[in-house]
Amino acid sequence: MKKHIGLSLLSFSALSLSVLFSSTASAHFPLMTCWFEGDKVACEAGYSDGSKAIDYDVNMYDYDDNLVAKVTTDKRSIAEFTKPESDFYLVFDAGHENPVEVDVVEISEK
């Protein structure tokens, strides 16, 4: 009986580890890079596995958390905004991971 219990625990441990590592290997995280192009703010959204984020919303908020603009990414995963006069931050929320936020102080000319 002891041998059977030991084998079951070993099988359970192996199964648990395989599930843990298989889910970690297939996980991908949302990413967003933004830059200034003259009077525009452009952002490219995507995932850590290199896939694009097409037809996702990218929101622009002022520092009082008011929605200033909402743009949907195009077929290149790019969202373009008119650059506002006030400070802002941008949010890409893919819906299944933590949203990505980019603050205006992190953005530079491309």
Side-chain angles (χ1 to χ4, degrees), residues 46-100:
Y47 298 94
S48 58
D49 67 354
S51 60
K52 296 180 182 259
I54 299 170
D55 292 327
Y56 280 87
D57 289 336
V58 177
N59 297 327
M60 178 183 281
Y61 296 94
D62 65 17
Y63 280 6
D64 292 323
D65 296 325
N66 297 310
L67 181 64
V68 174
K70 178 190 258 185
V71 174
T72 303
T73 57
D74 62 17
K75 64 183 178 185
R76 302 169 300 146
S77 295
I78 304 288
E80 291 184 339
F81 298 87
T82 301
K83 187 174 168 182
E85 296 293 321
S86 61
D87 290 335
F88 62 91
Y89 65 97
L90 299 146
V91 177
F92 165 49
D93 187 353
H96 64 282
E97 298 289 339
N98 293 328
V100 179

Coordinates of all heavy atoms in Angstrom, one line a residue, residues 46-100:
G46 N 0.7 45.7 -28.5 CA 0.9 44.3 -28.8 C 1.1 43.5 -27.6 O 0.8 43.8 -26.5
Y47 N 1.8 42.3 -27.9 CA 2.0 41.3 -26.8 C 3.4 40.9 -26.8 O 4.1 40.9 -27.8 CB 1.0 40.1 -26.9 CG -0.4 40.5 -26.9 CD1 -1.1 40.8 -28.0 CD2 -1.0 40.7 -25.6 CE1 -2.5 41.2 -27.9 CE2 -2.3 41.1 -25.5 CZ -3.0 41.4 -26.7 OH -4.3 41.8 -26.6
S48 N 3.9 40.4 -25.6 CA 5.2 40.0 -25.4 C 5.6 38.8 -26.3 O 6.8 38.6 -26.6 CB 5.5 39.6 -24.0 OG 4.6 38.6 -23.6
D49 N 4.7 38.1 -26.9 CA 5.0 37.0 -27.8 C 5.2 37.5 -29.3 O 5.4 36.7 -30.2 CB 4.0 35.9 -27.8 CG 2.6 36.3 -28.3 OD1 2.4 37.5 -28.6 OD2 1.7 35.4 -28.4
G50 N 5.1 38.8 -29.4 CA 5.3 39.4 -30.8 C 4.0 39.6 -31.6 O 4.0 40.2 -32.6
S51 N 2.9 39.1 -31.0 CA 1.6 39.3 -31.8 C 1.1 40.7 -31.7 O 1.4 41.4 -30.7 CB 0.6 38.3 -31.3 OG 0.3 38.4 -29.9
K52 N 0.3 41.1 -32.7 CA -0.3 42.5 -32.7 C -1.6 42.5 -31.9 O -2.2 41.5 -31.7 CB -0.5 42.8 -34.2 CG 0.7 42.9 -35.0 CD 0.4 43.3 -36.4 CE 1.7 43.3 -37.2 NZ 2.2 44.7 -37.4
A53 N -1.9 43.7 -31.6 CA -3.2 44.0 -30.9 C -4.0 44.9 -31.9 O -4.0 46.1 -31.8 CB -3.0 44.7 -29.6
I54 N -4.8 44.2 -32.7 CA -5.6 44.9 -33.8 C -7.0 45.1 -33.2 O -7.6 44.1 -32.7 CB -5.5 44.1 -35.1 CG1 -4.1 44.0 -35.6 CG2 -6.5 44.7 -36.1 CD1 -3.9 43.0 -36.7
D55 N -7.6 46.3 -33.5 CA -8.9 46.6 -33.0 C -9.1 46.6 -31.5 O -10.2 46.2 -31.0 CB -10.0 45.6 -33.7 CG -10.1 45.8 -35.2 OD1 -9.9 47.0 -35.6 OD2 -10.3 44.9 -35.9
Y56 N -8.1 47.1 -30.8 CA -8.2 47.3 -29.4 C -8.3 48.8 -29.1 O -7.7 49.6 -29.8 CB -7.0 46.7 -28.6 CG -7.1 45.2 -28.4 CD1 -6.7 44.3 -29.4 CD2 -7.7 44.6 -27.3 CE1 -6.8 42.9 -29.2 CE2 -7.8 43.3 -27.1 CZ -7.3 42.4 -28.1 OH -7.4 41.1 -27.9
D57 N -9.0 49.1 -28.0 CA -9.1 50.5 -27.6 C -7.8 50.9 -26.8 O -7.3 50.2 -26.0 CB -10.3 50.8 -26.7 CG -11.6 50.7 -27.5 OD1 -11.6 50.9 -28.8 OD2 -12.6 50.4 -26.9
V58 N -7.3 52.1 -27.1 CA -6.3 52.8 -26.3 C -6.9 54.1 -25.8 O -7.5 54.9 -26.7 CB -5.0 53.1 -27.1 CG1 -4.0 53.8 -26.3 CG2 -4.4 51.7 -27.6
N59 N -7.0 54.3 -24.5 CA -7.6 55.5 -24.0 C -6.6 56.5 -23.5 O -5.6 56.1 -22.9 CB -8.5 55.1 -22.8 CG -9.6 54.2 -23.2 OD1 -10.1 54.3 -24.3 ND2 -10.0 53.3 -22.3
M60 N -6.9 57.8 -23.7 CA -6.1 58.9 -23.2 C -6.9 59.6 -22.1 O -8.1 59.9 -22.2 CB -5.8 59.9 -24.3 CG -5.0 61.1 -23.9 SD -4.8 62.3 -25.2 CE -3.5 61.6 -26.1
Y61 N -6.2 59.7 -20.9 CA -6.8 60.4 -19.7 C -5.9 61.6 -19.3 O -4.7 61.6 -19.5 CB -6.8 59.4 -18.6 CG -7.7 58.2 -18.8 CD1 -7.2 57.0 -19.3 CD2 -9.1 58.3 -18.5 CE1 -8.0 55.9 -19.5 CE2 -9.9 57.2 -18.6 CZ -9.3 56.0 -19.1 OH -10.1 54.9 -19.3
D62 N -6.6 62.6 -18.8 CA -5.9 63.7 -18.1 C -5.5 63.3 -16.7 O -5.9 62.2 -16.3 CB -6.6 65.0 -18.2 CG -7.9 65.0 -17.4 OD1 -8.1 64.1 -16.5 OD2 -8.8 65.9 -17.6
Y63 N -4.8 64.1 -16.0 CA -4.3 63.7 -14.7 C -5.4 63.7 -13.6 O -5.2 63.3 -12.5 CB -3.1 64.6 -14.3 CG -1.8 64.2 -14.8 CD1 -1.7 63.2 -15.8 CD2 -0.7 64.9 -14.4 CE1 -0.5 62.8 -16.3 CE2 0.6 64.5 -14.9 CZ 0.7 63.5 -15.9 OH 1.9 63.1 -16.4
D64 N -6.6 64.2 -14.0 CA -7.8 64.1 -13.1 C -8.6 62.8 -13.4 O -9.7 62.7 -13.0 CB -8.7 65.3 -13.2 CG -8.0 66.6 -12.7 OD1 -7.3 66.4 -11.7 OD2 -8.2 67.6 -13.3
D65 N -8.0 61.9 -14.3 CA -8.6 60.7 -14.7 C -9.9 60.8 -15.5 O -10.7 60.0 -15.6 CB -8.9 59.8 -13.5 CG -7.7 59.3 -12.7 OD1 -6.6 59.1 -13.4 OD2 -7.7 59.2 -11.5
N66 N -10.0 62.0 -16.2 CA -11.1 62.2 -17.2 C -10.6 61.6 -18.5 O -9.5 61.8 -19.0 CB -11.3 63.7 -17.4 CG -11.8 64.3 -16.1 OD1 -12.8 63.8 -15.4 ND2 -11.2 65.4 -15.7
L67 N -11.5 60.9 -19.2 CA -11.3 60.4 -20.5 C -11.2 61.5 -21.5 O -12.1 62.3 -21.7 CB -12.4 59.4 -21.0 CG -12.2 58.7 -22.3 CD1 -10.9 57.9 -22.4 CD2 -13.4 57.9 -22.7
V68 N -10.0 61.7 -22.2 CA -9.8 62.8 -23.1 C -10.1 62.3 -24.5 O -10.7 63.0 -25.3 CB -8.4 63.3 -23.0 CG1 -8.1 64.3 -24.1 CG2 -8.1 63.9 -21.7
A69 N -9.7 61.1 -24.9 CA -9.9 60.5 -26.2 C -9.8 59.0 -26.1 O -9.1 58.4 -25.2 CB -8.8 61.0 -27.2
K70 N -10.5 58.4 -27.1 CA -10.4 56.9 -27.2 C -10.2 56.6 -28.7 O -10.9 57.1 -29.5 CB -11.7 56.3 -26.7 CG -11.8 54.8 -26.9 CD -13.2 54.3 -26.6 CE -13.3 53.7 -25.2 NZ -14.6 53.1 -25.0
V71 N -9.1 55.8 -29.0 CA -8.8 55.4 -30.3 C -8.7 53.9 -30.4 O -8.1 53.3 -29.5 CB -7.5 56.1 -30.8 CG1 -7.0 55.7 -32.1 CG2 -7.7 57.6 -30.8
T72 N -9.1 53.3 -31.5 CA -8.9 51.9 -31.7 C -7.7 51.7 -32.6 O -7.4 52.4 -33.6 CB -10.2 51.3 -32.5 OG1 -11.3 51.6 -31.7 CG2 -10.1 49.8 -32.6
T73 N -6.9 50.6 -32.2 CA -5.7 50.3 -33.0 C -6.1 49.9 -34.4 O -7.1 49.2 -34.6 CB -4.8 49.2 -32.3 OG1 -5.6 48.1 -32.1 CG2 -4.3 49.7 -31.0
D74 N -5.2 50.2 -35.4 CA -5.5 49.8 -36.7 C -4.8 48.5 -37.1 O -4.4 47.8 -36.2 CB -4.9 50.9 -37.7 CG -3.4 51.2 -37.6 OD1 -2.7 50.3 -37.1 OD2 -3.0 52.2 -38.1
K75 N -4.8 48.1 -38.3 CA -4.2 46.8 -38.7 C -2.7 46.7 -38.5 O -2.2 45.6 -38.5 CB -4.5 46.5 -40.2 CG -3.9 47.5 -41.2 CD -4.3 47.2 -42.6 CE -3.6 48.2 -43.5 NZ -4.1 48.0 -44.9
R76 N -2.1 47.8 -38.2 CA -0.6 47.8 -37.8 C -0.5 47.8 -36.3 O 0.6 47.9 -35.8 CB 0.1 49.0 -38.4 CG 0.0 49.1 -39.9 CD 0.5 50.4 -40.4 NE -0.3 51.5 -39.8 CZ 0.2 52.7 -39.4 NH1 1.4 53.0 -39.6 NH2 -0.6 53.6 -38.9
S77 N -1.6 47.8 -35.5 CA -1.6 47.9 -34.0 C -1.2 49.2 -33.6 O -0.7 49.4 -32.5 CB -0.6 46.8 -33.4 OG -1.1 45.5 -33.6
I78 N -1.4 50.3 -34.4 CA -1.1 51.6 -34.0 C -2.4 52.4 -33.7 O -3.4 52.3 -34.4 CB -0.4 52.3 -35.2 CG1 0.9 51.6 -35.7 CG2 -0.1 53.8 -34.9 CD1 2.0 51.6 -34.7
A79 N -2.3 53.2 -32.7 CA -3.3 54.2 -32.3 C -2.7 55.6 -32.3 O -1.6 55.8 -31.8 CB -3.9 53.9 -30.9
E80 N -3.4 56.5 -33.0 CA -2.8 57.9 -33.1 C -3.8 58.9 -32.5 O -5.0 58.8 -32.7 CB -2.6 58.3 -34.6 CG -1.4 57.5 -35.2 CD -1.1 57.9 -36.6 OE1 -2.0 58.5 -37.3 OE2 0.0 57.7 -37.0
F81 N -3.3 59.8 -31.7 CA -4.1 60.8 -31.0 C -3.5 62.2 -31.4 O -2.3 62.3 -31.7 CB -3.9 60.7 -29.5 CG -4.4 59.4 -28.9 CD1 -3.6 58.3 -28.8 CD2 -5.7 59.3 -28.4 CE1 -4.0 57.1 -28.3 CE2 -6.1 58.2 -27.9 CZ -5.3 57.0 -27.8
T82 N -4.3 63.2 -31.4 CA -3.9 64.6 -31.4 C -3.3 64.9 -30.1 O -3.9 64.6 -29.0 CB -5.0 65.5 -31.8 OG1 -5.6 65.1 -33.0 CG2 -4.5 67.0 -31.8
K83 N -2.1 65.5 -30.1 CA -1.4 65.8 -28.8 C -2.1 66.9 -28.1 O -2.3 68.0 -28.6 CB 0.1 66.2 -29.2 CG 1.0 66.4 -28.0 CD 2.4 66.7 -28.6 CE 3.3 67.2 -27.5 NZ 4.6 67.5 -28.1
P84 N -2.6 66.7 -26.9 CA -3.3 67.7 -26.1 C -2.3 68.7 -25.5 O -1.1 68.5 -25.4 CB -4.0 66.9 -25.0 CG -3.2 65.7 -24.8 CD -2.5 65.4 -26.1
E85 N -2.8 69.8 -25.1 CA -2.0 70.9 -24.4 C -1.7 70.5 -23.0 O -0.7 70.9 -22.5 CB -2.8 72.2 -24.4 CG -3.1 72.8 -25.8 CD -1.8 73.2 -26.5 OE1 -0.9 73.7 -25.9 OE2 -1.7 72.9 -27.8
S86 N -2.5 69.7 -22.4 CA -2.3 69.4 -20.9 C -1.6 68.0 -20.8 O -1.5 67.3 -21.8 CB -3.6 69.4 -20.2 OG -4.5 68.4 -20.8
D87 N -1.2 67.7 -19.6 CA -0.5 66.4 -19.4 C -1.6 65.3 -19.5 O -2.7 65.5 -19.2 CB 0.1 66.4 -18.0 CG 1.3 67.3 -17.9 OD1 2.0 67.5 -18.9 OD2 1.6 67.7 -16.8
F88 N -1.1 64.1 -19.8 CA -2.0 63.0 -20.0 C -1.2 61.7 -19.8 O 0.0 61.6 -19.7 CB -2.5 63.0 -21.4 CG -1.5 62.9 -22.5 CD1 -1.1 61.6 -23.0 CD2 -0.8 64.0 -23.0 CE1 -0.1 61.5 -24.0 CE2 0.2 63.9 -24.0 CZ 0.5 62.6 -24.4
Y89 N -2.0 60.6 -19.8 CA -1.4 59.2 -19.8 C -2.3 58.4 -20.7 O -3.5 58.7 -20.9 CB -1.3 58.7 -18.4 CG -2.5 58.4 -17.6 CD1 -3.1 57.1 -17.6 CD2 -3.1 59.4 -16.9 CE1 -4.2 56.9 -16.8 CE2 -4.3 59.2 -16.1 CZ -4.8 57.9 -16.1 OH -5.9 57.7 -15.4
L90 N -1.8 57.3 -21.2 CA -2.5 56.4 -22.1 C -2.6 55.0 -21.5 O -1.7 54.6 -20.8 CB -1.7 56.3 -23.5 CG -1.6 57.7 -24.1 CD1 -0.3 57.8 -24.9 CD2 -2.7 57.9 -25.1
V91 N -3.7 54.4 -21.8 CA -4.0 53.0 -21.2 C -4.4 52.1 -22.4 O -5.3 52.4 -23.1 CB -5.1 53.1 -20.2 CG1 -5.4 51.7 -19.6 CG2 -4.7 54.0 -19.0
F92 N -3.7 50.9 -22.4 CA -4.1 49.8 -23.3 C -4.5 48.7 -22.4 O -3.7 48.1 -21.6 CB -2.9 49.4 -24.2 CG -3.0 48.1 -24.8 CD1 -4.2 47.7 -25.5 CD2 -2.0 47.2 -24.8 CE1 -4.3 46.5 -26.1 CE2 -2.1 45.9 -25.4 CZ -3.3 45.6 -26.1
D93 N -5.8 48.3 -22.4 CA -6.3 47.3 -21.5 C -6.7 46.1 -22.4 O -7.8 46.2 -23.1 CB -7.5 47.8 -20.7 CG -7.9 46.8 -19.7 OD1 -7.5 45.6 -19.7 OD2 -8.8 47.2 -18.8
A94 N -6.0 45.1 -22.5 CA -6.3 43.9 -23.3 C -7.4 43.1 -22.7 O -7.9 42.2 -23.4 CB -5.0 43.1 -23.5
G95 N -7.8 43.3 -21.5 CA -8.9 42.7 -20.9 C -8.6 41.4 -20.1 O -9.4 41.1 -19.2
H96 N -7.5 40.8 -20.3 CA -7.2 39.6 -19.5 C -5.9 39.7 -18.7 O -5.5 38.7 -18.0 CB -7.1 38.3 -20.5 CG -6.0 38.4 -21.5 ND1 -6.1 39.2 -22.6 CD2 -4.8 37.8 -21.5 CE1 -5.0 39.0 -23.3 NE2 -4.2 38.2 -22.6
E97 N -5.2 40.7 -18.8 CA -4.0 41.0 -18.1 C -4.1 42.3 -17.4 O -5.1 43.0 -17.6 CB -2.8 40.9 -19.0 CG -2.5 39.6 -19.7 CD -2.1 38.5 -18.8 OE1 -1.5 38.8 -17.7 OE2 -2.3 37.3 -19.1
N98 N -3.0 42.7 -16.7 CA -3.0 44.1 -16.2 C -2.9 45.1 -17.3 O -2.1 44.9 -18.3 CB -1.8 44.3 -15.3 CG -1.9 43.4 -14.0 OD1 -3.0 43.2 -13.5 ND2 -0.8 43.0 -13.5
P99 N -3.6 46.2 -17.3 CA -3.5 47.2 -18.3 C -2.1 47.8 -18.4 O -1.4 47.9 -17.3 CB -4.6 48.2 -18.0 CG -5.0 47.9 -16.6 CD -4.6 46.6 -16.2
V100 N -1.7 48.3 -19.5 CA -0.5 49.0 -19.7 C -0.7 50.5 -19.7 O -1.6 51.0 -20.4 CB 0.2 48.6 -21.1 CG1 1.5 49.3 -21.3 CG2 0.4 47.1 -21.2

